[in-house]
Amino acid sequence: MKRILTAAALAAALLSGAPRAAAACPYKVGPLGRYIAPAIVQGMTATNENQIEVWCSDAPDGDDWFFIVDNETELRINDRVNLLIDAHETPDDFTDDTVEDCFFCHDCDKTED
């Protein structure tokens, strides 16, 4: 019975907007305060400002990343990408990290070294 009450109390706290502990960053942040996160483009939505909001899921653990690109992007849903993430000087907390750039290649087999 105690476990059910504890679970109910936890659910109530989460629904009430209680602050959660900062999540640890699953990546090693480099000396310039950035890291690379492999991801998959899950969705793209047009905005009113001739831009596209891109939704990516982190390949290793499924974290979601959102960022804006111009409407002439070559990104497509299901593209595998590498996101350059800025850790904002908090390497142990990825809740404030932001996507700085997105790298991808559609014709990598044809690219010369």
Side-chain angles (χ1 to χ4, degrees):
M1 185 72 166
K2 186 174 183 180
R3 287 185 182 170
I4 294 172
L5 292 175
T6 304
L10 177 62
L14 290 174
L15 291 174
S16 71
R20 292 180 238 175
C25 182
Y27 297 101
K28 182 172 177 14
V29 177
L32 298 176
R34 282 140 182 88
Y35 58 93
I36 301 291
I40 299 170
V41 177
Q42 299 292 334
M44 301 172 77
T45 306
T47 69
N48 293 335
E49 292 84 29
N50 271 346
Q51 296 176 322
I52 309 263
E53 182 180 61
V54 179
W55 163 40
C56 290
S57 282
D58 187 316
D61 59 6
D63 290 321
D64 289 333
W65 296 97
F66 295 88
F67 55 95
I68 301 287
V69 296
D70 64 34
N71 65 345
E72 296 177 13
T73 186
E74 294 179 15
L75 275 174
R76 300 182 295 226
I77 293 175
N78 295 323
D79 276 352
R80 294 182 181 275
V81 298
N82 285 313
L83 302 175
L84 177 63
I85 309 291
D86 186 343
H88 295 287
E89 298 181 13
T90 55
D92 296 329
D93 175 14
F94 76 99
T95 59
D96 65 344
D97 296 0
T98 56
V99 176
E100 201 167 90
D101 209 341
C102 177
F103 301 99
F104 62 96
C105 181
H106 289 143
D107 60 350
C108 293
D109 295 335
K110 299 176 186 175
T111 304
E112 295 180 21
D113 289 335

